[in-house]
Amino acid sequence: MMTKPDNSRDDWNPLYLFNIYRIIISAFFWVSYLFGVAPNFFGQQDKSAFFLLSLAYFGLALLFNHAIRRRWLNFDIQVITQVLIDIAIITLLMHFSGGLNSGLGMLLVVAIAGGSLLTQGKTAFFFAAMASIAVLTHVTLVDIYRWFTTTSYTHAGMLGISFFATAFLAHSLARRIRVSEALAEERGQHVQYLYELNRQIVEHIQSGIIVVDNTLFRRVQLFNDTAQSLLGLSEQPKYGDELGKWSPELVEELNQWRQIKEYHPQLFHPPKAEVDLLINFMRLNRAGQMGTSLIVLEDATLTAQRAQQLKLASLGRLTTSIAHEVRNPLDAISRSGQLLASSPNIQDNDDKRLLQIIANNIQRVNTLIENILQFTRRGQVYTQYIDLDDWVHQFIEEITLERHLNSGDISLDIETLPQRIGFDPIQLYQVVTNICENGLRYSQNNQPKLHFRLKLSSESKRPYLDIQDFGKGVDAENKSKIFEPFFTTETRGTGLGLYIAKEICEANQAVLHLIESEQQGCCFRITFTELEKV
C-alpha cells in the first residue's frame, strides 16, 4: 500500500539536489566506460558487471527523481531507501573495480553525509553502521574466497571509523541547521506579525500618513487611506509615484519645511478637500540609505474639538461667575424700571419711551447672558448613529408645523444613497434650526424659502447637508466675520447663533462653513464625518 506523502517537510528540495548528484555520478560511471575514457580500475574485476550495474544505478536515480517530484512515499522512507541502495550499489561497484584499493569506498562517505543531513535522530549512525557492515562483509568474503590477491582489514576498519565520524559530524551539523531554521522561521513569523500589525495601524489610524523619499521627485513610499480621504483624492497614489503629481501644494509645504530651519506650518487646506488640515513633518533616517520624510496629516476639526473641551471647561467657570455678577444689578435695574414705569408721576411720552428703551436693552442683555450660559453648559457630546436622510425629512416636517409654513416653502433634494452619520441629535437639531431661522428671516418673500440638499462628496466620500436661503445674501466684507462671536448685522441680535452652531459642529467632528452660491442668498454646508471614523 502506498504511504501518504508528507508534504509538510521543507527538505524535498535538498533531497532532489542530492539525487542530482546521484544521477551525475552514475552517468559518469557508464558514460566514461562506454566511451573508453574511464580510469583503468573501473571494472577491473568484472567490466561487464560494472557497466551493467552503473547503468542500473543511473536508471534507479532517474526513478528516484520521479518519486521525489511526485512525493510518492513519505520523505524519511525515501531517504532511507535511497541511501541504503547507494550503499549496496557502491559496495558492488567497488567489488567489481578491485575492492578497497579502487578508492570507490569514499563515495560511501558522501552517501552517509547526505543521508545524515537529510534525516533526524540517530538515522545517521544507522547509515554508518550499514556501510561499515557492507565493507566488512565484502572484505571477509574476499578473504574467504580469495577473489583478490590482497585483503586489508585495517583499511576496512579505518573506512568504518570515517563512516561514523562523518555521521557524527553531519548529525551535529544537521541539528544546528534545524535549530537555526526554527529560530529563523520564528523570527520571520514575528517580523511578519509586526509588519501586519503596523500595516493595520497605519491603514486604520485617523491620521493621514505619507512617507516620501528625499529625492527631487519626492516619490511616495507609503500612503494610507486616511491621507487619501483628507486630501480629497479620487484614488490612492501608488508606490513610486511623484507626490507633486497628486498634491503639489503639499510638496511646496514639505520643501519649505526642509529649507527653513524654524518653519511652523499653518493650517493647510487642499484644493479638493473639505476640511482644514494640520501638517507635521519628521525626518526618517536609515543607516547607509537615503533618508525619507514622514508627513502626518491631522483633521483640524479633531484638534479643534480637543481644544474646545478645554476652552469650555474654563469658559464655563468664567461665564457663570460673570453672569451671576451681572444679573444681580441687572435685576435691580429691571425692577427699578418697572416701578418707575408704574409711577403716576411718569406722564410724558418721552419719559415712557426712555423707560421702554431701558427695558428692551435689559431684555437684550439678559438674552445674551442666557445664550452664553446655554453655550457653556452644553456639556458632553452624546454621539449617536443617525440616518441622515430620515432625519432631514423629519426635521422639515417639524419646522413646517412649528413655523406654520406651507408644504412648498421648504424644498428637498437628495442626490445620494441613505447615509448614517455620528452626531449628537439634540445639538444637530439646534444647529440646523439656527441656520433655518436665519434663512427664514431673509427669505420671507421668496418661494421656496429654504432649499435642503443632501449629497456625498465625490472626493472625500463624506456626506454633507446644504441649507440654501433666497435672501439678500452676505456682503463680501462680512463673509469672514459671520462665525465670529458677537458679530451681527441686526440691532436686536446677539451675534452668537452661528458661532455656537460652528462650535457645536466642531465638537461633533463636523464642519460648518458658508459656501459660494450661484443663486441669490446664502448657502451653509455641514460636512459630516464618515461613520467608521466616529
Side-chain angles (χ1 to χ4, degrees), residues 250-264:
L250 187 58
V251 172
E252 183 179 353
E253 293 286 338
L254 175 61
N255 292 336
Q256 291 184 20
W257 169 73
R258 296 196 66 86
Q259 295 171 5
I260 303 176
K261 186 175 181 180
E262 297 183 357
Y263 173 71
H264 300 286

Side-chain angles (χ1 to χ4, degrees), residues 199-242:
R199 187 181 65 84
Q200 292 290 333
I201 292 174
V202 170
E203 289 299 326
H204 293 87
I205 197 172
Q206 291 189 359
S207 301
I209 302 296
I210 304 174
V211 178
V212 296
D213 61 26
N214 288 334
T215 63
L216 180 63
F217 302 103
R218 307 296 189 201
R219 299 190 182 279
V220 173
Q221 307 292 312
L222 177 66
F223 205 105
N224 69 346
D225 295 338
T226 306
Q228 175 190 350
S229 176
L230 291 176
L231 291 175
L233 303 179
S234 57
E235 58 180 303
Q236 190 172 15
K238 299 178 181 178
Y239 180 88
D241 285 353
E242 296 181 19

